[in-house]
Structures are given as C-alpha cells and as structure tokens.
Amino acid sequence: MKIKDKFINLRCFWLSKCLIILSIIIFNTSCEKENINFEKENNNTKQTCSFRDYSFIDNIQCYDTIGNRFDSLSYVYSQDDFVFPDELHPYEKIEINADSTVIMYYTVDDITTIKNGKVYQQNDTLCFYFNELDFNGLRFRGLIVDHQLRIPGYGFRYYIFASDGTNSGEIKNTTIGYGIPDLEDLLKNFPNFYLDNNIIKIRNLYVQRFDLIYDIKTE
C-alpha cells in the first residue's frame, strides 16, 4: 500500500506541475493578445508635417550642352527663380497616420487639393507613394533630420537664345521637381529652337537644388 500511495502522490505532484505550467502559458498568451489589441485600438497617433521654408544646396550651377560648368554665368538668376512659383506651392501640409496612410495638401490658384497615399519608412528615409506601395506610384522621398522632414527638390531652366541676324528668339522655361536632378538626363533633353538660317548664340542649363523643410508635430 505504501508503494501504491507513493506512486499516486507522485502522479498528483507531476499533474499539478503540468497544470501550473499550462496555466502560466495560457495567461501569458492572453496578455500578449490583449496588449496587441490594445495597441491597435489606441495607436491613433498622427504626425503633421507643416511646410516651413527652403534650404538651398550649393549655388546655382550653369552648364553648356556637353556638361561644361560656367559658374560665372549663374549670377543672372537668383535662387528664388528656381523654387515653386506663387501659383503652384509645394505641399503645405502632410499628415502621416499610424496605419501608414498619408494625406497631402497643396494649393493651386487658391484652391486646396488633397492627395491620399501611403508611406514606407526605411531607417530615416520616408518614401511617399500615391495609393499603393508601387514603384510607379512613388512621388518623392524625405529624410527625417533633427525632428524635421526634409524633402529634396530642384529647379532647372534651359536658356536658349538664337538669332539669324534678322530675327531672334529665346527659351527660358523653368521646371520644378522633387528628388535629386540627373544632370546627364537633363543635358540630353535640351529643347530644340530653330530659326531660318539660324545661328544659336547661347545654350545653357541652370540648376538649383534645395530641400523643402517641414516641422513635425505628433498629435
């Protein structure tokens, strides 16, 4: 009887241990699920990026059609000639939600337009997309620096003056874009400007880089 009692007691002991371990596992698992659900339900934070100013990078650069640089000619324009014009502002406000959705606001002719998109973060770099995370939908990239969002941009102008001795004409259109300019690509895309029996006097490309600076506020 004593051996049988010891065996029964031993079984009860190990059974109780197993029940304790099982209860701990169930408790921890339920806590993890509650914590996950709690974070999902309460993670409604939003970051609002408000446009502050331009930060110009380097000076205006001037090139001829084959890439020779002529800094002495860059004085004919100011930096403000290569930023977004008054009638076409950059995004005034960018709202980044906890679920990675983005709302971007910009104004044209005093009419505010809203663009919806997504954002993907890799280290300190934010990649902004229209609609889905699709390479074709990539709009621009931004870098988080000192609690600010910096979005690289640039302005460029082809200046062409042509004359045949009797008639003359010129092109000096400015284009603004997001990102970092590809100089080789810009040089390949010089516009053509012809006059009868024309002699092209000047063909220059002017480039100015800048960062769009946004203050970040977490709500």
Side-chain angles (χ1 to χ4, degrees):
M1 291 294 293
K2 290 183 178 179
I3 295 175
K4 185 177 180 180
D5 289 342
K6 287 183 178 179
F7 178 74
I8 293 173
N9 290 335
L10 185 62
R11 288 184 61 187
C12 292
F13 172 79
W14 285 111
L15 181 61
S16 62
K17 287 289 186 181
C18 291
L19 290 173
I20 291 172
I21 293 172
L22 182 62
S23 63
I24 291 173
I25 293 173
I26 294 173
F27 176 78
N28 288 337
T29 303
S30 63
C31 286
E32 286 180 2
K33 289 182 177 179
E34 288 178 3
N35 287 336
I36 292 172
N37 291 333
F38 178 80
E39 289 178 359
K40 286 183 177 180
E41 291 175 1
N42 293 277
N43 194 8
N44 294 321
T45 58
K46 177 177 67 176
Q47 288 186 323
T48 301
C49 306
S50 302
F51 178 67
R52 179 179 180 180
D53 202 355
Y54 293 90
S55 176
F56 294 102
I57 301 173
D58 298 326
N59 296 317
I60 301 169
Q61 298 176 0
C62 177
Y63 301 91
D64 65 10
T65 56
I66 59 174
N68 294 316
R69 187 166 167 177
F70 301 99
D71 289 341
S72 61
L73 298 177
S74 61
Y75 73 92
V76 297
Y77 295 110
S78 69
Q79 292 175 325
D80 291 338
D81 291 324
F82 296 89
V83 300
F84 287 91
D86 292 337
E87 64 272 13
L88 182 62
H89 301 286
Y91 294 107
E92 294 97 352
K93 184 170 64 173
I94 301 172
E95 294 178 349
I96 304 174
N97 299 309
D99 61 356
S100 297
T101 57
V102 177
I103 303 175
M104 295 168 275
Y105 302 82
Y106 69 96
T107 301
V108 178
D109 295 330
D110 296 326
I111 299 175
T112 299
T113 302
I114 296 175
K115 282 281 188 180
N116 295 309
K118 300 280 285 185
V119 63
Y120 169 74
Q121 183 169 0
Q122 184 175 14
N123 297 325
D124 291 333
T125 301
L126 299 180
C127 299
F128 292 85
Y129 295 79
F130 286 157
N131 299 320
E132 300 300 328
L133 296 180
D134 176 1
F135 176 79
N136 294 325
L138 180 63
R139 185 66 182 97
F140 53 82
R141 291 181 174 87
L143 186 67
I144 299 175
V145 180
D146 297 330
H147 305 292
Q148 291 180 330
L149 173 64
R150 288 176 171 258
I151 300 174
Y154 63 98
F156 66 92
R157 170 175 290 188
Y158 294 110
Y159 178 76
I160 299 175
F161 175 81
S163 174
D164 61 5
T166 303
N167 301 304
S168 64
E170 62 182 3
I171 295 176
K172 51 181 181 179
N173 295 329
T174 301
T175 303
I176 311 299
Y178 291 98
I180 298 174
D182 185 334
L183 180 61
E184 184 177 349
D185 188 57
L186 292 177
L187 292 174
K188 287 180 181 178
N189 289 286
F190 254 93
N192 293 317
F193 187 13
Y194 298 103
L195 292 173
D196 293 337
N197 301 318
N198 69 308
I199 300 174
I200 296 179
K201 300 287 188 181
I202 302 174
R203 297 186 73 189
N204 288 332
L205 167 66
Y206 292 87
V207 181
Q208 171 67 68
R209 290 184 57 199
F210 55 79
D211 279 344
L212 298 167
I213 302 177
Y214 291 78
D215 290 326
I216 301 175
K217 180 180 178 182
T218 301
E219 301 176 0

